[in-house]
Amino acid sequence: MVNSNFEPTDAAFRTAMRRLAATVTVISTRSEGGLRHGMTATAVTSVSANPPAVLACVNRSAALHAQLGLGRLLCINLLHCSQQRLSEVFSGALEGEIRFTEGDWRSDADGVPYLADAQANIFCEIEALHAYGTHSICIGRVIRATSRSEVAPLVYQDGAYMCTGPLSDSNK
């Protein structure tokens, strides 16, 4: 039964989603012309462990969206809690290739840009794209992944950046 007191408005949905904490990522790729592209994203999650796959939701108005296509390679860089500035840079503080002057960016053997000191790097090949509303759902088959030994991801919740930490034994 549907609760008649609930009105599914855009504002109510946005308010509810602000309660969902998400690891901050920068999705990066290289165009066929060799230019690097990247954007900050929090709508990223695992899809399957076998085969290993992730999904990312990308707004169709984002510059990175034009670089998405079946078979294209990208990297999902999970940011470390010390990398808030990178999130801001790739959220629009800087534009285009100049964004890659911030941080320790390198390229793998395929030319995919990745953040060398990220919390983790997940390299993918795009296997599916699905349009939905204002976004495209991009599903990538994981080719390889790397992780820092320290676990301290940058998290975004309720309009603010934060770091996570274990609960004390008294909270268990």
Side-chain angles (χ1 to χ4, degrees), residues 77 83 103-106 113-121 146 148:
N77 303 277
Q83 296 173 317
D104 185 8
W105 288 96
R106 301 182 188 175
Y114 69 95
L115 186 61
D117 57 349
Q119 177 71 64
N121 308 98
T146 63
R148 256 188 184 184

Side-chain angles (χ1 to χ4, degrees), residues 166-172:
L167 295 175
S168 68
D169 285 340
S170 64
N171 291 330
K172 290 182 179 179

